[in-house]
Amino acid sequence: MHTQRLQPRDTAEAAEILRRGGLLGIPTETVYGLGANGLNPDAVGRIFAAKGRPQDNPLILHIPSADWLERYCGDIPDTAYALAERFWPGPLTMVLRRRDNVPDQVTAGLDTVGMRCPAHPLCRAVIQAADVPVAAPSGNTSGRPSPTTAAHMLEDMDGRIDAILDGGPCSVGVESTIVDLTCTPPRLLRPGGITLERLQAVLGTVEVDPAVTRLMGAGEKPKAPGMKYRHYAPKAPVTVITGAPEKSAQEILRRVGPTSGIICFEEFADLFREQEVHTLGPVGDKLVQAQRVFDALRTFDTSDVTEIFAQCPDNRGLGLAIGNRLKKAAGFHVVEADSERVVLGLTGGTGAGKSSALRAIRSLGGEVIDCDALYHEMLETCAPLRDEIGVSFPGAFDAAGQLDRRKLGQEVFSHKDRLEQLNGIVARHLVPEVRRRLAASESKIFAIDAINLLEGGLDQLCDRTIAVTAPLELRVRRIMARDNITEQYARLRISAQQPDEYYRGKCDCELNNAADTAAAFEMEAREFFQRLIDTIKEEKAHGKQGI
């Protein structure tokens, strides 16, 4: 069979291939899919043959809009339409009760079917033109990394299918999220482009299926694609290293040999000078990591590496999906780097009581990295930081080379864009130094204190982020007394910062300081942090962190 490579202008030809029962490589925003007419059992059967896919691994039906749901599904709950309104078109698959017109070949004999409306406009245009739902797993041979470009798919499917419709590189990079709406509470069967947190915002409680974190047993029947079998695997065996990025990088460094391959975050690539390295992207950019993860796995198949070690992001946001794909590639061969270490990130407005909270952490044996103090230390020792500030803020340093803090403060607190510019400069130099200090220390409990913890990317180093908040007038009085400044300047400083609602909405938890005295708040904070540290350690001990 000759496999054609179609272009976006060939939509009509692509639709005709589907209508006549052929196989079509079709672009989505997640990965390239291997599509067939989902109402044609023979065509669907050819998908399994082309991929070498087990027959008990169900497929997903792709439709152009939520209006098509009732054609193929019954007993549709209101939550399905709520999710569709929020996330469709997009990388979300909903498992619903199927109608009798959906063939058993699509559902692997289940009474449910996965339904998705992809966001790629070319994909939806082809489905609309064909006027049939398209059954489409990822367009790779079974067990191989999923393709995120037409060229990737051609590597596996050339000569096996009728055509590939080239829609450019995929924007998400990991497959769709799959959520089962036929049970209560809803259950996450596969993490993907729509994060667990975003699902919870619509659905409330969402359970995570055990298959997200382990291989299914021989007798278990998968309810969605990719749940049961070792998946996404390159030819060389993979070991996934979880934990804080600095520690996972050091753990890999201890294990590698000259024929090892490395998948790591960009910040640590220079550690592996003798090995072949493919970077996932920056530690703090999970969208880039999702876009690169399959490419990194696939690229090693053209090299001579005998083993692959991969750093793994934490389980927040897209990290859950990226980690799931890496761990499936490894057959869930996972090593936890320093599972006893806990890193807490504290942030919040000036005067909220972070100093008292940090004393509580020190009383528990924790080590504190005060980013404001570190910034001023680096102003004395880090020439690149001084140079960049000096160029961007002329006059910030006096004739003796000392920073005029009040002059710089007056400028940045009065102009939001200048404050953002300064914060960006500081983050570029501060985050690598914090990273270095975490890696060099033997402490088991850390607190990173930074007012720009979230904006500067320091939150990516933390197991939990905590918003320290307090009533406004109490903050004003504290700042005036602490810094010996006027009420007007104290209020100016507070107005230049984010409100408490901002920190509440973005942090993992809140520590509110309404105590009468600093000593009373310190006692409350100590109890709060002890409970939080115990919870994090228990999660890590049971393998829940970084899944």
Side-chain angles (χ1 to χ4, degrees):
M1 177 186 294
H2 171 67
T3 300
Q4 302 180 69
R5 189 159 180 173
L6 304 179
Q7 300 303 315
R9 62 178 178 274
D10 302 319
T11 301
E13 185 175 353
E16 177 56 30
I17 290 171
L18 292 172
R19 277 195 300 270
R20 70 170 184 252
L23 298 184
L24 177 71
I26 190 167
T28 77
E29 75 278 19
T30 56
V31 298
Y32 272 72
L34 176 52
N37 179 351
L39 303 181
N40 183 330
D42 292 335
V44 173
R46 285 193 283 274
I47 290 177
F48 289 89
K51 281 179 63 73
R53 182 183 178 93
Q55 295 288 328
D56 66 346
N57 203 358
L59 303 177
I60 293 168
L61 285 185
H62 295 71
I63 57 178
S65 71
D67 295 341
W68 283 34
L69 277 178
E70 292 190 0
R71 299 186 188 184
Y72 314 110
C73 302
D75 300 324
I76 303 171
D78 291 341
T79 50
Y81 292 106
L83 288 174
E85 183 177 359
R86 180 74 65 89
F87 299 123
W88 276 7
L92 175 68
T93 296
M94 296 182 279
V95 174
L96 301 166
R97 298 293 175 192
R98 66 157 170 157
R99 291 192 182 277
D100 292 341
N101 59 345
V102 178
D104 286 344
Q105 287 83 350
V106 170
T107 68
L110 298 172
D111 63 355
T112 58
V113 61
M115 303 296 298
R116 170 157 125 78
C117 175
H120 201 297
L122 186 58
C123 180
R124 290 202 313 280
V126 171
I127 299 171
Q128 192 81 51
D131 198 30
V132 295
V134 173
S138 57
N140 50 283
T141 51
S142 191
R144 290 267 289 143
S146 299
T148 54
T149 67
H152 286 166
M153 186 168 180
L154 198 63
E155 289 176 9
D156 284 11
M157 292 296 159
D158 192 15
R160 300 185 182 201
I161 64 176
D162 296 89
I164 297 174
L165 180 61
D166 192 340
C170 301
S171 60
V172 177
V174 293
E175 299 94 337
S176 64
T177 300
I178 303 179
V179 59
D180 186 355
L181 298 181
T182 67
C183 55
T184 303
R187 175 168 289 199
L188 179 70
L189 302 183
R190 181 178 74 184
I194 301 300
T195 65
L196 174 61
E197 294 87 345
R198 295 177 71 191
L199 288 179
Q200 290 169 332
V202 177
L203 299 174
T205 301
V206 178
E207 289 186 350
V208 178
D209 194 277
V212 172
T213 60
R214 63 164 174 78
L215 287 174
M216 293 184 71
E220 295 182 88
K221 191 172 181 64
K223 294 194 69 175
M227 291 183 67
K228 184 174 183 179
Y229 299 95
R230 184 167 179 255
H231 206 22
Y232 317 113
K235 295 174 183 176
V238 179
T239 299
V240 172
I241 311 295
T242 62
E246 298 77 19
K247 290 300 182 182
S248 62
Q250 291 298 323
E251 183 68 28
I252 292 174
L253 195 60
R254 287 193 289 270
R255 292 168 175 263
V256 295
T259 62
S260 302
I262 309 298
I263 298 174
C264 67
F265 303 119
E266 286 180 358
E267 292 86 345
F268 305 102
D270 289 344
L271 293 176
F272 309 102
R273 299 183 182 277
E274 298 180 6
Q275 288 79 27
E276 182 176 341
V277 176
H278 295 288
T279 62
L280 276 176
V283 168
D285 196 335
K286 289 175 180 172
L287 179 57
V288 170
Q289 294 165 26
Q291 292 167 343
R292 292 186 183 179
V293 62
F294 287 134
D295 191 36
L297 290 166
R298 182 176 285 270
T299 303
F300 279 114
D301 280 352
T302 60
S303 73
D304 296 325
V305 302
T306 58
E307 59 183 353
I308 300 168
F309 294 97
Q311 280 191 286
C312 187
D314 63 54
N315 64 344
R316 289 178 289 182
L318 276 174
L320 182 61
I322 300 161
N324 172 262
R325 302 320 190 264
L326 286 170
K327 290 170 186 177
K328 280 186 172 290
F332 287 91
H333 181 214
V334 180
V335 174
E336 172 72 26
D338 196 6
S339 61
E340 295 184 359
R341 169 172 287 200
V342 173
V343 182
L344 304 177
L346 272 66
T347 190
T350 299
K354 291 194 296 295
S355 295
S356 297
L358 293 170
R359 284 196 297 272
I361 288 175
R362 288 190 179 97
S363 74
L364 294 170
E367 181 177 333
V368 172
I369 298 178
D370 182 337
C371 289
D372 187 58
L374 179 57
Y375 161 57
H376 286 92
E377 176 187 328
M378 293 177 68
L379 284 171
E380 302 294 329
T381 60
C382 181
L385 172 62
R386 290 173 57 89
D387 292 343
E388 193 168 353
I389 291 176
V391 170
S392 300
F393 298 90
F397 294 94
D398 61 23
Q402 297 297 310
L403 178 71
D404 189 334
R405 188 174 185 181
R406 183 177 291 272
K407 180 178 180 180
L408 182 61
Q410 289 283 4
E411 180 174 355
V412 300
F413 293 144
S414 301
H415 301 89
K416 184 178 179 181
D417 58 331
R418 295 292 274 166
L419 179 60
E420 291 176 353
Q421 184 180 7
L422 177 62
N423 289 339
I425 293 170
V426 173
R428 280 194 291 276
H429 298 276
L430 185 72
V431 173
E433 179 61 19
V434 172
R435 211 181 279 284
R436 186 192 69 76
R437 294 190 180 204
L438 286 172
S441 177
E442 295 299 320
S443 295
K444 295 300 182 184
I445 300 173
F446 278 95
I448 300 174
D449 170 27
I451 196 167
N452 291 314
L453 183 87
L454 306 169
E455 300 87 344
L458 288 163
D459 59 319
Q460 297 297 322
L461 308 181
C462 304
D463 294 296
R464 292 288 195 282
T465 54
I466 299 100
V468 183
T469 62
L472 174 62
E473 294 306 317
L474 186 58
R475 291 174 59 195
V476 171
R477 292 197 299 274
R478 286 176 182 158
I479 296 169
M480 291 171 61
R482 183 190 68 195
D483 298 339
N484 192 27
I485 60 176
T486 65
E487 180 179 346
Q488 180 182 7
Y489 187 52
R491 293 187 183 278
L492 180 64
R493 288 179 61 180
I494 290 175
S495 68
Q497 299 171 1
Q498 299 284 1
D500 283 349
E501 289 73 18
Y502 170 84
Y503 297 110
R504 289 190 187 103
K506 291 186 174 292
C507 288
D508 297 313
C509 44
E510 179 183 6
L511 177 59
N512 183 257
N513 178 11
D516 295 332
T517 65
F521 177 57
E522 186 175 334
M523 184 177 297
E524 290 179 16
R526 179 186 171 92
E527 295 174 358
F528 171 89
F529 289 127
Q530 185 63 71
R531 290 194 301 271
L532 186 58
I533 290 166
D534 290 344
T535 297
I536 293 169
K537 286 184 176 180
E538 183 178 356
E539 288 178 352
K540 289 185 175 184
H542 289 85
K544 295 179 182 178
Q545 192 74 9
I547 60 176

